[in-house]
Amino acid sequence: MAELVPFAVPIESDKTLLVWELSSGPTAEALHHSLFTAFSQFGLLYSVRVFPNAAVAHPGFYAVIKFYSARAARRAQKACDRKQLFQKSPVKVRLGTRHKAVQHQALALNSSRCQELANYYFGFNGWSKRIIKLQELSDLEERENEDSMVPLPKQSLRFFCALEVMLPSYDCRSPGVGLVEEPVDKVEEESGKIAVEYRPSEDIIDVRYEEELHGLIQVHCSPWKQCGQEEEEYLSDFSLEEEEFRLPELD
């Protein structure tokens, strides 16, 4: 069965691996490199984070590794659990299981992450994109002409973009639209205006008109700051399959 890999920050528990009993000899940076090398063989990694053990436990480290693919995470867990990997003693690897009461909002990937994910699954030359329409929808200029004594809602910059992603090998095209908005606390008179120019490539013949895009797919709204935002790790939200995640106690 095919697996759906969304272009979103992976927050699902079945895409998260907890690795512990890591040696205290190497530095955290060296462990990060070794873990990335070992686990990236099973699939594209979103993040590898290394943490020191708690003060009440033996010296050493543990790690949280996130995959984009749940299938890749399961393969990595089965292949690496209780194996020595890059150290003399075996490590323990478990899939995380998030408590049902804990819910986090999914975050969209930033541009570089999206391109990395597309290149991994489709190949560097296996996909392309083109902008169909890019338009500013902000109302800042209109408000400047209004009576300043009248209280107005908070101003914001707003842009609309319609684009098309193409997969030549599969003869597939997927149009999409999005709306991004960011509040503006104060607009300086001498700050100038944002100029956006769209230059379609000359070799494009099949151009969809604006009315053809209307109602095609749903518009997703998100603030600009969310585009580059990384998810925070909530280790207390996770438990482990088969056994609870507990660091060894001191004798």
Side-chain angles (χ1 to χ4, degrees):
M1 181 181 295
E3 178 185 8
L4 178 63
V5 179
F7 282 78
V9 174
I11 60 174
E12 297 87 350
S13 58
D14 58 355
K15 298 179 181 179
T16 303
L17 293 183
L18 302 179
V19 184
W20 72 101
E21 294 195 2
L22 296 171
S23 174
S24 60
T27 63
E29 291 75 14
L31 282 174
H32 181 279
H33 176 75
S34 299
L35 288 166
F36 185 90
T37 302
F39 285 89
S40 61
Q41 302 177 42
F42 301 94
L44 184 63
L45 301 180
Y46 172 77
S47 65
V48 176
R49 304 186 68 181
V50 180
F51 305 90
N53 288 344
V56 297
H58 291 292
F61 297 88
Y62 66 97
V64 178
I65 301 176
K66 285 184 174 291
F67 285 83
Y68 287 98
S69 164
R71 184 177 299 173
R74 288 194 298 269
R75 289 200 306 265
Q77 190 276 326
K78 293 180 180 179
C80 298
D81 184 37
R82 303 185 186 277
K83 300 296 191 304
Q84 293 181 342
L85 299 182
F86 45 82
Q87 61 182 34
K88 295 181 179 180
S89 59
V91 300
K92 290 185 178 180
V93 184
R94 292 292 186 274
L95 281 169
T97 54
R98 189 182 296 276
H99 298 317
K100 294 182 179 180
V102 178
Q103 295 182 352
H104 295 298
Q105 180 182 3
L107 300 177
L109 292 176
N110 59 35
S111 177
S112 61
R113 293 275 194 175
C114 287
Q115 293 187 43
E116 179 186 39
L117 188 58
N119 290 339
Y120 181 83
Y121 284 101
F122 301 128
F124 183 77
N125 295 320
W127 67 283
S128 62
K129 67 178 184 297
R130 68 181 180 95
I131 296 177
I132 301 173
K133 186 178 182 63
L134 186 59
Q135 180 179 352
E136 182 183 0
L137 303 178
S138 308
D139 56 355
L140 300 182
E141 184 174 358
E142 296 179 1
R143 296 191 178 190
E144 290 178 357
N145 300 326
E146 295 180 1
D147 187 358
S148 59
M149 300 299 295
V150 179
L152 297 173
K154 193 172 183 178
Q155 297 179 340
S156 62
L157 289 173
R158 188 182 299 111
F159 286 88
F160 166 84
C161 180
L163 58 81
E164 184 179 54
V165 176
M166 293 164 283
L167 306 176
S169 300
Y170 301 93
D171 193 23
C172 176
R173 295 186 176 191
S174 178
V177 294
L179 183 68
V180 61
E181 182 175 7
E182 182 70 7
V184 178
D185 294 328
K186 183 178 181 181
V187 180
E188 300 292 343
E189 294 182 358
E190 299 179 358
S191 62
K193 296 182 179 180
I194 297 177
V196 179
E197 182 180 5
Y198 163 53
R199 297 181 179 178
S201 58
E202 297 179 357
D203 57 345
I204 293 179
I205 300 177
D206 181 20
V207 179
R208 289 183 169 86
Y209 295 96
E210 184 174 352
E211 56 269 17
E212 295 181 14
L213 290 171
H214 181 70
L216 187 60
I217 65 175
Q218 182 179 2
V219 175
H220 175 68
C221 301
S222 60
W224 284 355
K225 63 182 180 180
Q226 192 181 70
C227 296
Q229 181 179 359
E230 301 291 338
E231 102 291 357
E232 296 182 356
E233 303 287 354
Y234 296 90
L235 297 181
S236 60
D237 296 346
F238 289 94
S239 60
L240 293 171
E241 292 182 348
E242 301 179 7
E243 64 183 89
E244 292 295 325
F245 176 50
R246 290 191 293 267
L247 296 175
E249 300 178 355
L250 294 175
D251 296 332

